[in-house]
Amino acid sequence: LIRSNEAISRGTRSSSPMISSATRKLACSLRAARPGLGFRAGNKFSTFTASRRGTGVSKLVISATAAAGVILGFGSYMGDSISSPMLMAEAKGIEKKEGPAEKEKMQEEGAAPASSTDNLAAKKKKNNTNARSAYSVKIGKKMPEEVACFVEVAKGSRNKYEWDEELGHITLDRVLHSAVFYPHNYGFVPQTLCGDGDPLDVLIMGDDPLQPGCFVDVRPIGYLVMKDEKGTDEKLLAVAAKDPRLYEVRTIRNVPIHVLDEITQFFETYKTLEKNKWVKVGAWKGTTEAKQLIEETHRCYLEEKDKGAGSVFEFQS
């Protein structure tokens, strides 16, 4: 090995029968594969042996130098990308320090493929980014004087949109079968529960359509007694608390009789052409009764929530 390394440094080919082809290959690896310490050690060895050949000290230094070259170049000779035990230990330490955040960053940069477990976790994380249930939004600190309302259908529309608890969005439930349209904006009061298993429905009077999917603070005016194929289904009548044009509308006595008749006639006929559906409409109740209805339906909601009554009360991802 020593003679071969010296011969390579001088640009000549060793002809000694003691040097095998395997030894020559290993010596070449010290020069070619390890251009750092291994290469410099070979040069120092060649110079040193040329000047101090045969001495005991030179043999000791030669052996130490050759051993260092072999250790430093062994990793490259064996085809390993890491050339020293020190670098291998550092690389292992880096792997151990890689946490979930580092793996996610590497996957985003395309440096590491995502495993099936990582994909499943990402999917769950994505699902959990959905907004919370519209049913569980706070009813309002001023309840029952003012309550929050989630708008599903805009005034003048025939499209019956409804909140979908599973999707976490509003969806088109149906288009009204009759030649009628919603006379006012329509939605529900969150954190309430009526006899039909749904939140308390509400009609919001106003001049303009409201955007479906928005929340509005409303002031209750009265409610219409109703019952359908699913149970009691009262319809609360309210006005937007921030609408200055309806500021004077405080009780049901402030609402024109004809407006109330239009609402009654709408609910009497809007399901007429639908199969297996029916509606029975009763009388109008005043403002005091409307506030009591809000309190009762809110109490029913809280009682059912304490029982753990399913996805109606909390969004299920």
Side-chain angles (χ1 to χ4, degrees), residues 25 63 111 188 198 213 234 247 295:
K25 185 184 297 185
S63 300
F188 63 83
D198 293 329
E234 299 92 343
Y247 181 79
E295 292 175 335

Side-chain angles (χ1 to χ4, degrees), residues 4 9 25 52 59 75 89 120 141 146 149 157 163 204 207 217 237 243 263-264 272 275 277 281 288-289 299 303 306:
S4 177
S9 300
K25 185 184 297 185
R52 298 292 301 276
K59 289 182 179 181
L120 181 60
K141 296 181 179 180
E146 287 185 12
C149 171
S157 176
W163 171 260
I204 310 169
D207 294 335
D217 291 331
L237 183 63
D243 190 340
I263 297 173
T264 300
T272 301
K275 295 181 180 180
K277 291 188 177 182
V281 178
T288 302
E289 291 89 342
R299 182 169 58 252
E303 291 175 355
D306 291 339

